[in-house]
Amino acid sequence: MGFGEREGGLVPLKPPDGGWGWVVLLGCFVITGFSYAFPKAVSVYFKELMYDFHIGYSDTAWISSIMLAMLYGTGPVSSILVNQFGCRPVMLVGGLLASAGMVLASFSTNIIELYLTAGVVTGLGLALNFQPSLIMLGRYFDKRRPLANGLAAAGSPVFLSALSPLGQFLLETFGWRGGFLIMGGLLLNCCTCGAVMRPLERPGREWSRDRHEVREMLPMGRSEDSRGTKKKSKKAAAAKKHQKLLDFSVFSNRGFVIYTIAKFILVLGLFVPPIMIVNYAKDMGIPDTEAAFLLSIIGFIDIVARPSCGVIAGLKWMRPRVTFFFSVAVLFNGLTDICSATSASYKDLVIFCVFFGVSYGMVGALQFEVLMAIVGSQKFSSAIGLVLLIEAVAVLIGPPSAAGRLVDTFKNYELIFYMAGSEVLFSSLFLALGSYFCLKRGTPKTGGHEDTKVDGEPDPEEEISENHLLKADGSAGANRARSPAGHTDEERVRHSEGEVELKPDRALERDCF
């Protein structure tokens, strides 16, 4: 179910799995593309920055590192803002920040200013767009959510394939300052994506009006029931008003704890091969252009793998087992790293890139789907913020530092691939075994699209349904809500105009009272 903005007192409705949701999916596709691809795409400007500021490659590489650190590390901040103000306002502000950061970076006179503008400001703006877009995607899609997540995740390889050559063209035509300025303009599209993320509810004042009408129509003998339902509705409203800005109760969910630990271990080794593969090929004597093409192979395969994996994950028999499907994807990725460690030719590396692209795409398509399935849509905004914060630690201590030091010390890339593959394999086994032995068995086979919740925690939807004030006729539309007498809004309007005579529905009265 979708849950709405705090300020409007909005009523939850069933995800439509289509309709305006496809527009939301397109916005999420664009946001995911910018968030993951932009920090990598700015690397085309590094050589010019090194020449202008008289610095080394490691100094310029910190721009991308700071962007990624902000994207992951500010997860809880984004979660708090979303819980306080809603998704759309946060995304609009994030789009403005992302654009302003690159525009200001075009006027930088030293590398420190670039760290603060392109790194911190733009990175924060991307973070304020990324999480809310995923939250809105989970609210608009339920049965088709795996497919939606797979399609949205495909934005990363698509945008990387487009932004890198575009950045090179802008660099050659306008220089790095002009390129940064134009890139800042492109990031304003994040505001457009934020504008389409409209809440999936009808205004709370309509609910209040209908509730008042129901009270007026109740028989005198039902006043006690009316007072009971009124207390329950006040209780639900108070619970919503005091909703936590960052809900740490997700850690009481054993599935979430297992997922978080497995994801931390996974990130330690997942990004090592894409970072090292080009240098690995160059050290084997492969020309630079052919070595760089290896990353393009991974990207092209990734584009196809992500939506395809989303289709498979959405199958009725697969959805209850999506966590184990994710474990298989991670296992596949780890085995690919280990088997490629002894590659001795360009052909071997191409084969590795094909298999790595498939497994990497599967992991990318399933990671947030699994998290949504574990914690449910209500707690997803807090859960994803906490997970990204923990991943930020793994990103900082993993690929750039550990892998780089091992290469410098041993001058051997085989050891790097063995290390990365072992970490990924261990993550897969931990997730699969932890899910099997530590979680409750006997989960109802509902197709895998029911939100899970912590035991003993009240469900706002159950609170609303217990009031028995409205009964939807299946269309989830506000204009079809029925009164306790069994009449729709349309019938009551026609009665007031003298067109029809209303007769009480005794069966519905018995159901309500």
Side-chain angles (χ1 to χ4, degrees):
M1 290 291 180
F3 290 85
E5 317 296 337
R6 289 171 56 86
E7 68 270 20
L10 302 179
V11 180
L13 295 178
K14 184 178 180 180
D17 280 306
W20 189 257
W22 297 118
V23 180
V24 172
L25 173 58
L26 178 61
C28 191
F29 175 88
V30 174
I31 294 297
T32 303
F34 275 126
S35 299
Y36 278 124
F38 199 83
K40 303 171 186 176
V42 295
S43 62
V44 301
Y45 299 99
F46 286 176
K47 194 171 184 179
E48 286 295 319
L49 294 174
M50 292 166 58
Y51 178 80
D52 279 7
F53 295 145
H54 308 289
I55 54 178
Y57 179 82
S58 60
D59 295 323
T60 56
W62 270 102
I63 298 174
S64 295
S65 298
I66 293 173
M67 278 189 184
L68 290 173
M70 294 298 295
L71 180 65
Y72 285 99
T74 58
V77 176
S78 182
S79 297
I80 290 173
L81 292 176
V82 167
N83 289 334
Q84 179 67 29
F85 302 107
C87 292
R88 184 157 51 180
V90 173
M91 292 184 68
L92 291 173
V93 173
L96 293 175
L97 284 176
S99 176
M102 292 304 295
V103 171
L104 292 174
S106 66
F107 298 98
S108 299
T109 57
N110 57 66
I111 192 64
I112 300 299
E113 293 178 0
L114 281 176
Y115 292 160
L116 296 175
T117 54
V120 175
V121 179
T122 298
L124 177 60
L126 293 175
L128 295 181
N129 276 274
F130 179 57
Q131 284 182 235
S133 67
L134 291 177
I135 293 169
M136 290 301 297
L137 192 68
R139 291 176 180 174
Y140 269 88
F141 288 91
D142 183 15
K143 293 181 179 180
R144 294 177 177 173
R145 194 178 64 203
L147 174 61
N149 275 312
L151 291 172
S156 175
V158 169
F159 269 63
L160 183 60
S161 301
L163 289 178
S164 294
L166 175 62
Q168 187 64 40
F169 170 77
L170 294 176
L171 176 63
E172 295 172 356
T173 307
F174 304 103
W176 71 267
R177 293 185 185 276
F180 275 24
L181 192 62
I182 295 174
M183 286 287 197
L186 288 177
L187 286 173
L188 282 175
N189 286 289
C190 294
C191 293
T192 304
C193 296
V196 305
M197 302 290 177
R198 66 188 187 192
L200 185 63
E201 290 84 10
R202 63 189 178 94
R205 60 178 176 272
E206 294 183 15
W207 172 269
S208 300
R209 182 195 64 197
D210 291 342
R211 186 174 58 188
H212 176 73
E213 292 176 357
V214 169
R215 268 204 309 271
E216 293 296 325
M217 297 172 67
L218 285 176
M220 294 299 293
R222 301 300 182 183
S223 59
E224 184 177 350
D225 292 339
S226 175
R227 288 193 298 270
T229 56
K230 184 177 180 180
K231 290 180 180 179
K232 291 180 180 179
S233 62
K234 286 184 176 180
K235 182 179 179 181
K240 183 173 180 62
K241 183 178 179 180
H242 295 90
Q243 178 182 354
K244 297 178 182 178
L245 295 181
L246 190 61
D247 193 352
F248 288 96
S249 68
V250 291
F251 284 106
S252 64
N253 185 327
R254 288 177 292 179
F256 175 77
V257 174
I258 293 170
Y259 174 86
T260 303
I261 297 174
K263 198 71 188 299
F264 177 85
I265 302 171
L266 172 64
V267 171
L268 291 175
L270 181 64
F271 302 121
V272 171
I275 293 174
M276 297 294 179
I277 188 66
V278 174
N279 287 332
Y280 186 18
K282 290 179 179 179
D283 286 356
M284 292 171 58
I286 296 173
D288 291 356
T289 54
E290 295 182 11
F293 184 66
L294 293 172
L295 283 180
S296 300
I297 295 175
I298 295 176
F300 292 140
I301 299 296
D302 196 0
I303 292 173
V304 178
R306 296 196 183 210
S308 301
C309 185
V311 172
I312 297 173
L315 297 177
K316 185 176 181 180
W317 59 271
M318 180 61 74
R319 292 205 66 180
R321 304 169 181 85
V322 67
T323 302
F324 297 102
F325 186 30
F326 181 57
S327 300
V328 171
V330 176
L331 179 68
F332 183 20
N333 187 269
L335 291 175
T336 302
D337 293 344
I338 292 177
C339 293
S340 67
T342 56
S343 298
S345 66
Y346 185 71
K347 180 181 178 180
D348 293 339
L349 291 180
V350 169
I351 295 174
F352 159 73
C353 289
V354 171
F355 283 96
F356 184 85
V358 173
S359 60
Y360 189 75
M362 293 174 67
V363 172
L366 294 173
Q367 56 179 341
F368 297 118
E369 168 60 26
V370 173
L371 181 59
M372 289 180 185
I374 290 174
V375 302
S377 60
Q378 184 185 4
K379 293 181 178 293
F380 182 71
S381 60
S382 295
I384 188 176
L386 295 170
V387 168
L388 289 179
L389 176 62
I390 294 171
E391 285 184 30
V393 179
V395 168
L396 292 177
I397 68 175
S401 54
R405 282 197 295 268
L406 285 175
V407 171
D408 293 338
T409 303
F410 299 100
K411 309 296 181 183
N412 188 345
Y413 284 92
E414 292 183 15
L415 184 61
I416 298 301
F417 279 80
Y418 282 128
M419 179 198 72
S422 299
E423 291 169 341
V424 175
L425 281 178
F426 182 72
S427 171
S428 170
L429 295 175
F430 181 85
L431 179 62
L433 295 176
S435 300
Y436 183 78
F437 289 107
C438 297
L439 300 182
K440 293 180 180 179
R441 303 182 188 180
T443 303
K445 298 179 180 179
T446 58
H449 54 269
E450 290 190 356
D451 292 340
T452 57
K453 63 178 182 177
V454 180
D455 293 339
E457 180 184 352
D459 189 339
E461 294 182 270
E462 293 177 1
E463 292 279 355
I464 294 173
S465 64
E466 287 177 359
N467 290 334
H468 295 297
L469 295 177
L470 294 175
K471 280 187 173 287
D473 65 351
S475 64
N479 63 331
R480 297 293 298 165
R482 290 183 177 270
S483 70
H487 306 132
T488 64
D489 293 341
E490 180 182 354
E491 291 170 341
R492 292 199 300 272
V493 171
R494 294 179 63 189
H495 170 68
S496 64
E497 296 176 355
E499 296 182 11
V500 297
E501 179 182 358
L502 297 183
K503 295 181 180 181
D505 188 337
R506 300 300 179 185
L508 187 57
E509 283 188 4
R510 287 194 302 270
D511 182 50
C512 290
F513 304 109

